Amino acid sequence: MLRASQYSKGRLGALARVSRAAVGALPRSASVRQYSYQARPDTSEKETIVKLLYNIGSKKEVEQYLRHFSSVESQKFAVIKVGGAVISDDLATLASALTFLNRVGLYPIVVHGAGPQLNKRLEAAKIEARYEDGIRITDGPTLAIAREVFASENRKLVEALERLGTRARPITGGVFVADYLNREKYDRVGKIVHVNREVVESSIRAGCLPILTSLAETPDGQILNVNADIAAGELARVLEPLKIVYLNEKNGLYHGTTGKRIETIHLDEEYEDLLKEPWVRYGTKLKLKEIKELLDTLPRSSSVAIISAEHLHKELFTHSGAGTMIMRGHRLFSEQDLAAVDSDRLRALLMDYDPSIASGETTAASYWQKLAALKKEGGQYWIYGDEPYQVAAVVMRKPGQSIACLDKFVASKAAVLGNITDNAWKLITRDHPQMVWSVPRTDDNLSWHYERADGSWGVGDNIVFWYGVEDWKQISDMVAGKFSVKETSTSTSASAPAGVRAYSTMARRNAVRSAIPSSRRSYSTASSGSPLRVGLIGARGFTGRELIKLVDGHPRFELSHVSSRELAGKPVPNYTKAQLNHVNLSASEVGELAKAGRQAVDVWILALPNNVAAPFVTAIDGAVASLPMKQQPVVVDLSADYRFDTSGEWVYGLPELHRRELTTRNTGRIANPGCYATGSQLGIAPLLPYLDPARLPSVFGVSGYSGAGTKPSPKNDPAFLQDNLIPYAPVNHIHEREIGHSLTRIAQASYPFNARNPLKVQFSPHVAPFFQGIALTLHVPLRLSMSAANVHELFKDFYRGERLVHVTESAPLVRDNAGQHYAAVGGFAVPPHSEGGASASLADRRAVLNVTLDNLLKGAATQAIQNMNIALGIDEYTGIPTPDAPTMSLE
């Protein structure tokens, strides 16, 4: 998640700024809104605001929290304590944040202070501000000025809200009844003994946000000064809200040793150890004690949030949050014997949330037997959960195995909303520094697993994840199934949160992501020479490294963010334009950045494995939905996830064949083709009108082992590949489908293969001992005979003027093409008896040709730069070396 310290005010375009614009644009009914406890704003208006909330979190997250907050009476939503500095320094943001909440039908109760303003007035009046035990001594003159200051600041906030069309009621007295705290010591300072909740509820019934000062009165009418934090806490004790929010400019509590913001504190688990930390002293210790005392009196569903006004929405409506959340939580347990847990409550949780048991595929009793059998065989199991059984996990270790297997992880909606899943995960990984688990590819929560895993590997219909495993022999065994990894059940009633809080005081390891550069480029369409900022997600792979080199040499592009989970914090190599470190951006963080449109990043490159890009695309789409198209960043996806898109939102990015679509359909979403698919299509496209409709083209492909990625496997092991050639995926390779699908899209209706008769190809990929490059041999059946010279001329005419496709007479070679940015097509041949025209035999009516290209360049990175240039209105070949003629070893 993005942290407040990473933003500079007025530059990122965070939700507070979006909300101000949105709130100002939304119409308000001229009539006074009638209020009852069930009343809510106009439906269409609420829907608009809810859609804007999708900019900060997933639709599921936002709607889940809205239902949660709307499930209680209006006065039980939230008590928000506002410091005086927030009113003086960030009034507009505060007002828009409160208005945003009100427009979705919520009624936060605001209690504000005015400390800085009071000190300023006292100084002007030459009255010394005196304190005892951290409490302001309030004599008569001080109290007189305090009343004026509180009334003035209260009026400022109410008027700011009403300017935005939000009805608010100033309440400067009548709510808090107090006695003297210690009259001799503190003079007119009060200790609250009663809260008149009717005053607050009356305001809400009238459809107004209650805006309270913290001043109290004795039963006989003497006004007393009360600290606003204490007043907010006493009000919360009476109303028992779901949220108690303390707004401050720091955006949370910070760890005194690491300097990192603490994102979650579960008091039942962490409080005692937290107080022992050397940096927890003075004001911090007092604040923690006060919060614990407050939460101990409230339902466990209540929590405290310490957050800035700017990020209030993210804290309230996303799993990841934005400030510091403090809750009681529940003590977690870990048992190694089923008899030590409440099996009935565990059974009930599994029956509700475990897919296999809930569907009747198996039973809890059968699962108990499985655990007993494992133990009898000499294995071990651990059962994790919390006291009310809202979350449960089962970890197994079979005899002879050193790595544990996460077998089940289930949670209720309450556990997700309360971040109990995150706490349970920390406990599990603390006990098991090495762990493996398997999840179906179709699981809705894949992003949750990717964020918690150190690595993953697709195996059939499943994805194997691991954590803490560095021995590649062990990883190979896991992938090969030697660890008998079962599909892990990781279900919740809501879906696992996509971005739960990464840092807690009890975290096993520091999971805080590296600081994100906060500099921003002002958006301008006037300056043709201004740099265009590129965000790269997935920099660890070979393609990511090539992209960094290309951006470094591009006259218009500069890198703004380079994200890699494994390389976070390390310097970005091969980049000379600036000193830049890798960061680890989650999908939600990318969404936050995307809200500013091209003010933050002009183009996002997703250089991720297949089936991983969707959360990032969803986050970006949600963030920019309200922006004009020209201000929306371009997205180039290098995976296969959107190459088969039929919605019209994505353009297929093979410029030599789809240039018209790329230049005329301004969608800003480009699916970069696959490497094999690029070369194969370049070799077939000129022959589309002449194909034999009864036979399929065949492609024999050989790639360097860089095409197998950076994760070790036999396909990228040079020792294993020595004197070797490895075939793989002989049928239904995704590039096989991509070739036919994409060529069909450009085929005219008169061609043998067209939309009514889609083209299919036969594709046989192999891995060779060389590092980079692709060699393709294509056999293309024709409906009439052609000479080799005819085919050669046909290709020369077709690619005339294309600077990244070279047509050669002789066969191109991999070694000539490796490290080059173009594709070479040549070596045209036909069977010796094909000169017989239409009378030639079927076997003779075919063309054979060769295509080579660098899989990392024209097959990936170079093509991405081509697409970015086109999408951003730059010359297509800017930043790409384009030799006039190819290097040829064969003549």
Side-chain angles (χ1 to χ4, degrees):
M1 75 211 60
L2 295 178
R3 290 162 172 75
S5 60
Q6 294 157 358
Y7 303 119
S8 54
K9 288 188 178 180
R11 303 186 75 180
L12 179 61
L15 182 60
R17 283 175 277 284
V18 176
S19 68
R20 284 199 293 274
V23 166
L26 287 171
R28 296 292 289 176
S29 172
S31 60
V32 176
R33 177 176 52 185
Q34 296 299 312
Y35 177 80
S36 71
Y37 276 116
Q38 302 302 317
R40 291 292 183 264
D42 176 75
T43 302
S44 61
E45 176 184 296
K46 178 177 177 179
E47 288 175 353
T48 302
I49 293 291
V50 170
K51 288 178 181 178
L52 287 173
L53 282 172
Y54 296 161
N55 291 337
I56 60 165
S58 70
K59 179 179 180 181
K60 184 177 289 185
E61 281 182 283
V62 170
E63 292 180 348
Q64 187 179 38
Y65 281 99
L66 275 175
R67 287 194 300 270
H68 180 55
F69 293 143
S70 301
S71 66
V72 296
E73 295 174 292
S74 296
Q75 76 274 23
K76 291 193 173 187
F77 158 51
V79 171
I80 299 180
K81 183 267 174 177
V82 178
V86 176
I87 296 178
S88 62
D89 299 339
D90 216 2
L91 179 61
T93 300
L94 172 62
S96 64
L98 295 174
T99 294
F100 223 65
L101 296 176
N102 188 233
R103 297 292 176 85
V104 294
L106 300 174
Y107 284 80
I109 300 163
V110 176
V111 180
H112 71 83
Q117 296 91 325
L118 178 56
N119 286 338
K120 190 173 182 180
R121 284 285 303 276
L122 290 174
E123 184 180 357
K126 301 188 183 315
I127 298 175
E128 180 185 359
R130 295 177 297 141
Y131 296 87
E132 184 74 34
D133 302 327
I135 298 173
R136 184 191 297 272
I137 297 173
T138 308
D139 56 16
T142 299
L143 183 60
I145 293 176
R147 289 182 64 187
E148 294 177 9
V149 170
F150 271 108
S152 173
E153 298 305 303
N154 186 277
R155 187 166 55 251
K156 285 181 185 177
L157 178 52
V158 169
E159 290 174 351
L161 288 166
E162 293 191 335
R163 281 195 297 271
L164 295 176
T166 300
R167 298 181 63 209
R169 178 174 291 182
I171 302 175
T172 57
V175 175
F176 302 112
V177 179
D179 287 336
Y180 288 93
L181 178 61
N182 185 329
R183 189 167 187 175
E184 292 182 0
K185 192 172 184 179
Y186 307 118
D187 205 345
R188 296 169 198 186
V189 174
K191 177 182 179 181
I192 295 174
V193 296
H194 177 72
V195 175
N196 185 2
R197 62 187 295 168
E198 174 59 28
V199 177
V200 175
E201 293 172 350
S202 172
S203 173
I204 295 176
R205 285 196 297 271
C208 301
L209 297 187
I211 310 299
L212 288 66
T213 69
S214 60
L215 294 177
E217 298 138 28
T218 64
D220 59 5
Q222 172 62 52
I223 294 175
L224 299 177
N225 186 21
V226 176
N227 178 275
D229 283 7
I230 294 174
E234 292 301 323
L235 183 61
R237 284 184 170 89
V238 172
L239 297 178
E240 297 185 340
L242 294 172
K243 284 281 186 181
I244 303 96
V245 180
Y246 294 94
L247 292 185
N248 70 9
E249 63 278 9
K250 294 182 180 179
N251 199 47
L253 294 178
Y254 288 78
H255 195 286
T257 302
T258 67
K260 304 294 185 180
R261 177 166 48 82
I262 301 171
E263 298 179 0
T264 311
I265 299 175
H266 291 81
L267 293 173
D268 281 7
E269 279 286 324
E270 304 174 60
Y271 180 70
E272 293 178 2
D273 290 336
L274 192 55
L275 290 187
K276 296 175 186 177
E277 293 281 348
W279 56 271
V280 178
R281 52 186 179 173
Y282 310 131
T284 302
K285 180 174 285 189
L286 178 62
K287 172 64 86 176
L288 287 171
K289 285 184 175 180
E290 289 175 348
I291 290 174
K292 185 178 188 304
E293 290 172 0
L294 170 61
L295 289 177
D296 282 346
T297 66
L298 298 176
R300 285 192 181 270
S301 56
S302 296
S303 62
V304 166
I306 302 175
I307 187 70
S308 67
E310 183 178 15
H311 297 92
L312 178 60
H313 310 84
K314 194 171 194 299
E315 178 63 34
L316 293 176
F317 292 101
T318 67
H319 297 311
S320 57
T324 298
M325 184 176 76
I326 305 173
M327 60 190 309
R328 289 174 66 191
H330 289 279
R331 289 194 178 275
L332 300 174
F333 65 78
S334 172
E335 300 291 350
Q336 291 185 263
D337 192 336
L338 184 61
V341 305
D342 189 332
S343 59
D344 289 337
R345 298 177 75 184
L346 180 58
R347 175 186 285 107
L349 181 67
L350 294 175
M351 289 180 67
D352 283 341
Y353 301 112
D354 180 80
S356 61
I357 293 177
S359 66
E361 177 184 340
T362 186
T363 65
S366 299
Y367 193 66
W368 303 162
Q369 289 180 340
K370 175 183 174 180
L371 296 178
L374 174 65
K375 200 166 188 178
K376 188 175 181 180
E377 294 167 1
Q380 294 176 283
Y381 65 82
W382 292 260
I383 300 175
Y384 295 87
D386 63 337
E387 291 172 344
Y389 285 80
Q390 296 175 323
V391 64
V394 179
V395 177
M396 296 180 173
R397 184 183 293 135
K398 293 191 175 183
Q401 291 186 350
S402 60
I403 300 176
C405 174
L406 178 64
D407 194 63
K408 289 190 184 294
F409 191 16
V410 297
S412 68
K413 179 176 70 174
V416 174
L417 291 172
N419 284 91
I420 300 172
T421 48
D422 184 37
N423 225 21
W425 181 257
K426 293 187 181 83
L427 179 59
I428 293 168
T429 53
R430 184 188 68 188
D431 291 349
H432 304 282
Q434 291 185 311
M435 194 162 58
V436 60
W437 66 103
S438 177
V439 180
R441 292 180 184 270
T442 55
D443 193 287
D444 290 337
N445 306 321
L446 282 179
S447 61
W448 191 91
H449 299 280
Y450 278 112
E451 288 188 3
R452 281 151 187 79
D454 287 341
S456 61
W457 194 276
V459 181
D461 294 332
N462 300 314
I463 296 177
V464 176
F465 294 93
W466 60 86
Y467 177 96
V469 185
E470 297 179 355
D471 185 333
W472 284 105
K473 175 62 168 62
Q474 291 179 315
I475 292 172
S476 298
D477 288 344
M478 290 187 298
V479 173
K482 294 181 181 179
F483 279 78
S484 302
V485 181
K486 175 187 176 291
E487 286 183 15
T488 302
S489 170
T490 53
S491 302
T492 68
S493 62
S495 89
V500 300
R501 299 162 189 267
Y503 181 72
S504 171
T505 54
M506 64 176 292
R508 166 183 171 271
R509 58 182 179 174
N510 187 358
V512 181
R513 298 173 177 90
S514 300
I516 300 165
S518 58
S519 59
R520 297 288 178 264
R521 179 185 57 80
S522 299
Y523 176 75
S524 171
T525 56
S527 174
S528 62
S530 58
L532 299 168
R533 295 171 64 83
V534 178
L536 172 59
I537 309 298
R540 179 176 180 268
F542 296 123
T543 299
R545 298 175 194 177
E546 296 296 338
L547 280 163
I548 291 170
K549 295 177 187 176
L550 282 165
V551 172
D552 188 57
H554 198 288
R556 291 292 308 280
F557 293 156
E558 64 180 23
L559 288 171
S560 59
H561 307 82
V562 181
S563 179
S564 168
R565 182 176 61 192
E566 291 87 350
L567 300 177
K570 298 180 180 179
V572 175
N574 303 313
Y575 189 68
T576 62
K577 291 183 176 179
Q579 289 185 342
L580 203 61
N581 286 342
H582 290 90
V583 295
N584 182 14
L585 293 176
S586 66
S588 59
E589 290 171 334
V590 171
E592 285 281 353
L593 287 165
K595 288 181 205 171
R598 295 192 184 178
Q599 292 184 32
V601 177
D602 293 278
V603 56
W604 288 100
I605 307 175
L606 306 180
L608 297 166
N610 294 340
N611 303 314
V612 181
F616 292 88
V617 172
T618 300
I620 294 171
D621 285 346
V624 305
S626 60
L627 296 179
M629 179 58 70
K630 68 179 182 179
Q631 293 183 20
Q632 294 186 16
V634 173
V635 179
V636 179
D637 178 35
L638 272 67
S639 76
D641 293 6
Y642 297 94
R643 295 175 191 162
F644 301 88
D645 176 74
T646 58
S647 69
E649 296 177 2
W650 289 78
V651 179
Y652 189 73
L654 181 46
E656 289 78 8
L657 303 182
H658 294 262
R659 188 173 285 110
R660 182 175 179 181
E661 278 187 281
L662 286 165
T663 55
T664 60
R665 285 179 52 200
N666 188 24
T667 68
R669 301 292 180 266
I670 300 171
N672 219 60
C675 50
Y676 277 126
T678 294
S680 300
Q681 291 178 77
L682 293 176
I684 297 173
L687 296 170
L688 280 175
Y690 312 105
L691 297 182
D692 185 341
R695 295 179 294 160
L696 303 180
S698 176
V699 182
F700 183 93
V702 180
S703 171
Y705 61 83
S706 61
T710 57
K711 293 185 180 297
S713 76
K715 289 189 292 185
N716 58 20
D717 181 354
F720 187 84
L721 283 164
Q722 185 175 355
D723 301 324
N724 202 0
L725 188 70
I726 303 177
Y728 68 99
V731 295
N732 203 37
H733 189 288
I734 194 165
H735 288 180
E736 181 178 88
R737 289 177 276 134
E738 181 183 347
I739 297 162
H741 175 81
S742 299
L743 286 173
T744 298
R745 291 174 58 182
I746 63 170
Q748 298 179 19
S750 59
Y751 289 178
F753 293 97
N754 49 49
R756 289 183 296 178
N757 181 34
L759 173 66
K760 294 183 179 180
V761 300
Q762 300 171 111
F763 174 57
S764 304
H766 302 72
V767 180
F770 53 85
F771 178 70
Q772 69 189 105
I774 283 178
L776 302 170
T777 299
L778 293 84
H779 290 254
V780 185
L782 304 175
R783 57 190 174 92
L784 72 166
S785 294
M786 301 175 73
S787 68
N790 293 152
V791 177
H792 185 200
E793 287 301 314
L794 179 69
F795 273 76
K796 285 201 297 184
D797 288 342
F798 191 92
Y799 290 117
R800 196 176 306 280
E802 294 293 349
R803 295 165 63 182
L804 293 181
V805 178
H806 289 294
V807 179
T808 65
E809 186 170 358
S810 57
L813 301 182
V814 168
R815 73 177 187 183
D816 295 334
N817 208 193
Q820 303 296 322
H821 299 271
Y822 58 82
V825 186
F828 304 101
V830 298
H833 303 293
S834 65
E835 306 293 340
S839 63
S841 68
L842 280 178
D844 292 335
R845 293 204 302 267
R846 61 189 172 95
V848 182
L849 59 131
N850 304 107
V851 179
T852 62
L853 71 160
D854 190 312
N855 56 300
L856 302 178
L857 297 176
K858 179 56 179 170
T862 302
Q863 193 140 258
I865 297 295
Q866 260 187 291
N867 288 320
M868 291 158 57
N869 286 340
I870 294 171
L872 294 169
I874 306 171
D875 180 85
E876 179 179 332
Y877 303 104
T878 301
I880 303 172
T882 54
D884 292 332
T887 301
M888 297 296 296
S889 295
L890 294 178
E891 294 297 332

